[in-house]
Amino acid sequence: MVKKAIVTFILLTFLTATAMAGGVAVTAYGVRAVNLGGAYRALSNDWSGAYWNPAGLAFVKGWNVGLSTSFITPTAKLTLQPYEGHRFFGYTDKEAQSVPKTFIIPNAGFVYGMDNGLSIGFGVFVPFGLGATWDLYNPLPGFGVNADFPENDNVSDLAVLDFHATAAYQLSDRFSVGVGFGLTHMSISIEQTVITQIAMLNPLLGPLANAPSDHFPTQQKLEGSGTGFSATFGAMWKASDKLTIGLAGRWYSDVKLTGSVLAEAYFPSNPKAVQILTAMKDAGQLDPATYQQAAMLFSGTKQKVVDDGDVEASVPFPVNLGIGIAYQATEKLLVAFDAEWTQWSSWDVIQIKNLTDLQGNPMDAELVENWSDGIRYNVGLEYNVMKTEDRQLDLRLGYYFDPSPIPPETITPSIPDANKKHSFIVGFGYGLGKLQLDASFSYFIVPDREVTGWVLDETGGNENFPGTYKINAFEFHVGLGYSF
Amino acid sequence: MRRGLIVTGIFLILSLALSGCAEKQPTFPEQDLRGNAKEKGRIETLTIQSVFTGEEKKINVYLPYEYDKESSKKYPVIYLLHGFGGDENSWFDGLKIDKVVDVLIAEGKIEPVILVAPNARNALGGSFYTNSVDIDPTRNPNMNPKMGFGLYETYIVQEVLQTVEDRYRIDTSKRGIMGHSMGGYGAMKLALLYPQLFRSVVSHSGPLAFQELIFNAKSNLLARLAMENGSKPIFDLAAAAADPAKHPLTLIMFAMGAAFSPHFGPAASFDSFLFTQFPQMNIPASQVHQYIVSPTPVDTLGPGPLDDIFAGVDLAIRITQPGQMADTSRTTFLKWLAHDCYTILATEKKPDQSPIDIVSFKNMNIYFDCGEQDDFDPMDDGVGFGIIYTNRAFHELMVQKGISHTFESYPGAHSSDVYYRIEKAMQVHMKAFGMETTSE
């Protein structure tokens, strides 16, 4: 019976990992692009174009190098829905707040445009990342376990780095194409609580499993890393002197993750149940092995149930396709618009391999996710305030709307943006000779999301966290560019 | 170089500003990492020589954390009645009510309160909080606790209340009563009989309408009672005492018989045995109880031979087809109904047929709940008494009578979720005491 529970919480570990990645597809590559809301597929005319549309790099002449840093501060509050009129086991019934944390995400790259129309570039960017830290769970009063439960029990940290080389070619004055190839590296650390209801684990124990000893939490921790590949492709067409259209796509291979899983169960103390089980064993109604397992469930002890340093998983990442339009409305005003589609539905099945229990028995499993594809809309305005021979000041406004791909059935608080979000960005770019300084501030409006209905797995653990999600996030982006 | 320093400075300032912009807010500031409150109340155990039960009885008293720090403050009190087979420890060891109340007080969800859990267990495992006497001038001239009798109703409302309220700083205008299972029945019954004593009553999984136990269309108790006793034509108390787990219904029937239909008059013959011969009954060594038992009917003075089971107790149930079916003895069942909450409320008469104080009862804050799986299936909780049907019937009667109350049913069996209902129960009492908190 313990083996079955382990499969459940391993599945949930990976659920969290993928959910978090999906919730925070990072928009942080190139401050100008960020400032324009990501409406950059028809521009992409600096080092950051490797991410947005490699075809844009073909219109860069000479060297352009840059770096940017994003400071992203998401905070979330969650009031969990009652479960059958009370708290969901040890989960809080109060409004919980994620531990405040600022993520600092660096990006860098360069492009070199040659006279023959060929441009080459290289960049390092973070397409997926972030995480969250919560104190959501505490054993119920009187639970009786003889060990302290971790204070922060729901902790996630994920980063995907893409080392990306790009080549672009200007086919004509108005048309270019570009491709890129990258090596991705994923690192992940996930800690989460998983509930097992004893009566659902073994119905025969139901009469003994009275609250608060009707369940036990298992604290699980996954750490791992892996590599994969990425590819980008794009085309850009300058339809007129004022109008440019860009098409671009990004593809990621599955990341082959290897790592470790540690899981420790905290069992309730129920001496009366143990007494009854002992009497049944003594009367020959329980065999010793079954007795040992059943009695452990009410022992009031902390027990390690998985300690596997060689776990494998295949984590998919979604394809992204986008089209952008940039229009130079006046000499000073640039307007850009993008629409992009992300194949979040690629996270339908997560494969977990080579997992074993403490006895070395295999525990392969998979998880069905059911995320939905999403279309994001980006709008950007850039207004030139001042321009001299060696100085230039541009003010920018951006906006984008991004739906949440996560259905109520799998939502978890590890996702900083659990709902559709509206992002408003203000900033500027200041050119000083060959140097370019850009900065922007993003503020997110995320409507509160109400999720109803606990979804339980076969042993009574929760597959989602229904309740009221309140999300708040803002970002600072600063960047430097240099052309020569 | 200077530009580089400026840019570096911007990065540093932003980084520091953002990193320090908020502090962690603990989610469980009042609890330790094992879930218990940091500020804990304490439990005292009182021992009294109970005149009304004829036994030494223990009472557990929970005192909130601040009790010892406040020298003059008086506290509301809630009396906790345990279930069949339980004792003064049941609410604390099994339902962990002290741990829950510690946290509720610490979180400000309820005001500090004193909890009192008396022992009302008798020789058969449960007294049903009922006055029951079997005093025979020859056979049994005194109170006879060793046979499962005693004035348990009076014991609670007089001895326990007086003992506790004389000893502790209790605001007697804020008195509540609650119970689980047999204790839920007891709480509601005592609320019906003594509504002027209590401001609030809570019953968890209490059998509140006896007729539903037997006559509900889904009831299988009669057949299960017969099956429990195998091919025997009688209810075998000796076998039930030897293996209570296999004969729970038989034991409870005897306990109900001892409570509601004690037999007055001499017995022709009887055997006796010591309960301490049966460790499964978990009876303290200090209580060496004897009970009358016989393999054959001995009482011939009743309305007919079919109700003549054992001297000392008339059972309302009799086996008609050994191993298959039983039925009821109407004459005896009517005695049981006199103690039935549903009947008491429907007739507005006490067991002695004097009127109840219905006006005071209506002024109480009344709450009862029951698990939807507290049905006639014993597999999920080992009970299978159909308590949910008794609660629904009682609820319908309350509605018919226009009595304000709250009834809740929930997914759960007889005992599985009572722990989770404690917070709700405490809020009911607090509301009755005029001590509602904003978090309710």
Side-chain angles (χ1 to χ4, degrees):
Chain A
M1 64 182 79
V2 172
K3 180 179 174 181
K4 193 175 174 188
I6 293 166
V7 172
T8 304
F9 58 65
I10 296 304
L11 288 173
L12 286 171
T13 295
F14 282 87
L15 162 68
T16 305
T18 55
M20 186 180 62
V24 287
V26 176
T27 303
Y29 199 64
V31 177
R32 185 183 179 219
V34 170
N35 202 163
L36 294 174
Y40 212 59
R41 287 170 179 79
L43 297 168
S44 295
N45 51 356
D46 59 33
W47 60 274
S48 69
Y51 176 80
W52 297 100
N53 185 352
L57 300 181
F59 295 102
V60 176
K61 300 303 175 190
W63 288 90
N64 176 253
V65 299
L67 63 89
S68 66
T69 300
S70 298
F71 304 85
I72 302 176
T73 306
T75 57
K77 294 179 179 178
L78 171 60
T79 305
L80 288 168
Q81 178 188 331
Y83 171 76
E84 295 177 354
H86 53 82
R87 315 163 49 173
F88 185 80
F89 303 103
Y91 283 102
T92 180
D93 57 355
K94 295 179 283 190
E95 183 180 72
Q97 180 177 318
S98 62
V99 177
K101 185 176 182 181
T102 297
F103 296 86
I104 301 173
I105 300 175
N107 296 287
F110 73 85
V111 58
Y112 175 61
M114 293 173 263
D115 293 336
N116 60 4
L118 179 66
S119 295
I120 57 171
F122 182 79
V124 181
F125 45 81
V126 182
F128 304 97
L130 303 187
T133 299
W134 293 84
D135 177 13
L136 288 175
Y137 187 91
N138 213 20
L140 288 171
F143 188 74
V145 67
N146 65 359
D148 287 350
F149 198 81
E151 183 171 4
N152 291 326
D153 40 68
N154 198 305
V155 183
S156 54
D157 204 354
L158 169 75
V160 176
L161 285 173
D162 190 349
F163 301 88
H164 209 81
T166 312
Y169 189 68
Q170 187 174 346
L171 295 170
S172 70
D173 287 346
R174 294 189 179 276
F175 192 70
S176 66
V177 294
V179 295
F181 177 78
L183 183 67
T184 58
H185 177 81
M186 174 183 178
S187 62
I188 188 170
S189 176
I190 298 286
E191 196 168 346
Q192 184 161 323
T193 308
V194 174
I195 299 298
T196 302
Q197 295 190 47
I198 293 173
M200 295 179 73
L201 189 66
N202 186 341
L204 295 177
L205 297 176
L208 301 179
N210 296 327
S213 56
D214 55 344
H215 70 284
F216 63 88
T218 303
Q219 192 66 14
Q220 51 180 303
K221 187 171 186 179
L222 164 76
E223 290 180 314
S225 61
T227 57
F229 303 99
S230 68
T232 52
F233 55 93
M236 187 174 288
W237 177 44
K238 292 183 179 297
S240 70
D241 291 342
K242 292 187 174 180
L243 178 66
T244 304
I245 298 172
L247 285 168
R250 287 192 294 273
W251 168 87
Y252 298 93
S253 73
D254 292 358
V255 171
K256 305 300 180 188
L257 191 73
T258 59
S260 61
V261 171
L262 174 66
E264 294 174 307
Y266 294 73
F267 295 116
S269 173
N270 187 338
K272 188 176 178 183
V274 174
Q275 183 184 7
I276 292 171
L277 290 166
T278 304
M280 292 175 69
K281 182 199 68 172
D282 294 343
Q285 297 167 335
L286 274 183
D287 64 81
T290 305
Y291 166 76
Q292 191 173 15
Q293 280 195 326
M296 184 178 70
L297 297 176
F298 301 106
S299 63
T301 61
K302 173 185 171 183
Q303 300 279 347
K304 188 183 291 183
V305 288
V306 173
D307 189 2
D308 190 333
D310 187 24
V311 174
E312 296 178 359
S314 180
V315 182
F317 286 94
V319 169
N320 176 278
L321 297 172
I323 181 171
I325 299 171
Y327 185 69
Q328 191 70 45
T330 69
E331 186 179 344
K332 290 180 175 293
L333 179 65
L334 173 70
V335 181
F337 171 80
D338 276 20
E340 58 181 286
W341 170 83
T342 304
Q343 183 208 13
W344 293 119
S345 61
S346 65
W347 285 345
D348 53 354
V349 177
I350 310 295
Q351 301 283 347
I352 298 125
K353 299 175 182 175
N354 205 33
L355 178 67
T356 59
D357 62 18
L358 289 177
Q359 288 73 43
N361 302 312
M363 303 174 64
D364 288 354
E366 67 177 24
L367 173 69
V368 177
E369 260 299 350
N370 290 330
W371 283 29
S372 302
D373 296 344
I375 298 178
R376 169 177 152 169
Y377 301 97
N378 313 319
V379 179
L381 297 174
E382 182 176 71
Y383 186 77
N384 177 250
V385 177
M386 179 268 288
K387 186 173 186 179
T388 66
E389 187 174 332
D390 63 345
R391 298 191 180 199
Q392 179 172 330
L393 177 63
D394 298 306
L395 299 182
R396 303 181 186 118
L397 285 175
Y399 164 82
Y400 70 80
F401 168 77
D402 195 9
S404 172
I406 307 154
E409 294 79 17
T410 57
I411 192 167
T412 87
S414 296
I415 315 158
D417 54 348
N419 201 7
K420 60 188 176 185
K421 55 183 180 286
H422 304 269
S423 177
F424 300 88
I425 312 110
V426 296
F428 69 92
Y430 185 67
L432 186 60
K434 296 176 180 177
L435 192 66
Q436 174 74 24
L437 172 66
D438 297 284
S440 70
F441 172 78
S442 306
Y443 181 74
F444 293 86
I445 294 177
V446 185
D448 293 353
R449 183 171 182 181
E450 298 277 353
V451 177
T452 58
W454 289 88
V455 179
L456 305 187
D457 59 29
E458 68 273 18
T459 55
N462 54 312
E463 293 187 341
N464 69 344
F465 287 80
T468 303
Y469 289 78
K470 296 179 179 178
I471 311 295
N472 182 28
F474 57 88
E475 302 173 353
F476 282 105
H477 305 267
V478 291
L480 275 179
Y482 189 72
S483 301
F484 56 97
Chain B
M1 182 63 187
R2 187 181 171 191
R3 285 176 187 158
L5 287 174
I6 292 170
V7 172
T8 304
I10 291 171
F11 276 69
L12 279 173
I13 290 167
L14 280 173
S15 177
L16 290 172
L18 291 169
S19 297
C21 64
E23 291 183 0
K24 179 187 175 184
Q25 296 180 9
T27 307
F28 303 93
E30 296 87 7
Q31 292 173 258
D32 61 27
L33 293 176
R34 298 183 186 188
N36 296 319
K38 293 174 181 172
E39 296 181 345
K40 300 177 180 64
R42 62 185 175 87
I43 296 172
E44 287 189 355
T45 300
L46 308 181
T47 302
I48 63 171
Q49 287 297 329
S50 168
V51 173
F52 294 109
T53 68
E55 286 187 320
E56 180 182 283
K57 289 290 185 187
K58 292 187 185 304
I59 306 168
N60 277 341
V61 181
Y62 164 89
L63 301 170
Y65 173 77
E66 70 166 42
Y67 185 85
D68 297 323
K69 296 168 180 54
E70 300 282 345
S71 59
S72 59
K73 182 179 176 180
K74 290 190 172 182
Y75 293 86
V77 62
I78 299 169
Y79 291 88
L80 309 174
L81 306 188
H82 62 77
F84 188 82
D87 57 26
E88 73 277 9
N89 298 311
S90 298
W91 276 95
F92 301 104
D93 291 348
L95 292 168
K96 316 286 185 184
I97 193 169
D98 54 323
K99 304 292 194 301
V100 176
V101 167
D102 277 343
V103 171
L104 293 176
I105 293 172
E107 291 181 340
K109 290 183 175 177
I110 65 170
E111 295 291 329
V113 62
I114 291 174
L115 306 175
V116 178
N119 181 314
R121 180 180 181 136
N122 66 5
L124 285 162
S127 65
F128 284 85
Y129 303 92
T130 293
N131 284 344
S132 169
V133 291
D134 180 40
I135 300 174
D136 178 84
T138 306
R139 172 167 56 90
N140 186 32
N142 300 306
M143 194 63 65
N144 194 0
K146 294 179 180 179
M147 292 172 63
F149 303 110
L151 302 181
Y152 278 85
E153 173 189 314
T154 309
Y155 156 67
I156 296 292
V157 299
Q158 289 193 22
E159 279 185 317
V160 173
L161 262 66
Q162 185 173 347
T163 300
V164 171
E165 294 176 5
D166 284 350
R167 185 181 180 96
Y168 300 101
R169 299 193 308 274
I170 287 174
D171 181 349
T172 55
S173 69
K174 295 175 180 174
R175 198 188 277 135
I177 189 166
M178 64 191 279
H180 168 230
S181 191
M182 179 189 79
Y185 157 81
M188 191 62 74
K189 180 183 180 185
L190 295 181
L192 282 161
L193 301 184
Y194 303 93
Q196 63 276 38
L197 283 182
F198 305 103
R199 298 279 297 274
S200 49
V201 56
V202 170
S203 168
H204 299 299
S205 314
L208 302 180
F210 290 166
Q211 293 203 75
E212 294 296 319
L213 300 176
I214 306 296
F215 299 113
N216 185 280
K218 296 181 179 177
S219 176
N220 55 16
L221 286 182
L222 293 176
R224 284 166 53 206
L225 272 162
M227 285 187 282
E228 261 193 18
N229 288 277
S231 59
K232 300 169 191 167
I234 60 160
F235 294 103
D236 189 342
L237 179 59
D243 193 351
K246 285 188 176 176
H247 304 82
L249 302 182
T250 302
L251 269 182
I252 291 176
M253 285 300 114
F254 272 98
M256 294 176 79
F260 307 136
S261 51
H263 180 80
F264 294 89
S269 64
F270 58 87
D271 299 326
S272 64
F273 69 93
L274 299 178
F275 270 108
T276 47
Q277 293 172 347
F278 305 99
Q280 296 86 341
M281 289 291 285
N282 198 26
I283 292 176
S286 61
Q287 299 176 9
V288 181
H289 294 302
Q290 289 182 313
Y291 201 84
I292 300 168
V293 63
S294 172
T296 57
V298 294
D299 170 24
T300 58
L301 300 178
L306 289 179
D307 79 320
D308 298 337
I309 310 296
F310 297 109
V313 169
D314 287 336
L315 291 185
I317 313 295
R318 55 193 179 186
I319 292 177
T320 53
Q321 299 173 58
Q324 297 179 40
M325 188 53 70
D327 73 357
T328 55
S329 165
R330 180 164 179 76
T331 304
T332 310
F333 194 64
L334 286 175
K335 294 181 184 176
W336 291 23
L337 289 182
H339 295 271
D340 170 38
C341 292
Y342 184 99
T343 306
I344 292 170
L345 181 59
T347 62
E348 300 185 9
K349 288 182 179 175
K350 299 177 183 178
D352 64 5
Q353 299 304 296
S354 63
I356 64 172
D357 182 355
I358 189 67
V359 175
S360 295
F361 182 71
K362 287 181 176 178
N363 287 334
M364 294 178 69
N365 197 12
I366 303 167
Y367 172 89
F368 52 102
D369 62 20
C370 189
E372 289 156 5
Q373 284 74 52
D374 198 351
D375 51 20
F376 290 106
D377 178 6
M379 292 305 293
D380 50 0
D381 56 10
V383 181
F385 251 52
I387 305 290
I388 182 63
Y389 302 106
T390 75
N391 276 247
R392 287 174 181 157
F394 195 72
H395 164 62
E396 289 171 10
L397 178 63
M398 296 279 276
V399 172
Q400 286 172 18
K401 285 188 163 285
I403 300 174
S404 176
H405 70 286
T406 302
F407 166 59
E408 292 184 357
S409 62
Y410 54 88
H414 186 63
S415 302
S416 62
D417 289 67
V418 175
Y419 170 93
Y420 294 120
R421 315 302 296 181
I422 291 174
E423 180 173 348
K424 176 73 178 181
M426 288 296 142
Q427 289 171 348
V428 168
H429 292 301
M430 289 297 129
K431 185 176 182 181
F433 301 156
M435 303 170 83
E436 285 179 275
T437 60
T438 53
S439 59
E440 186 178 348

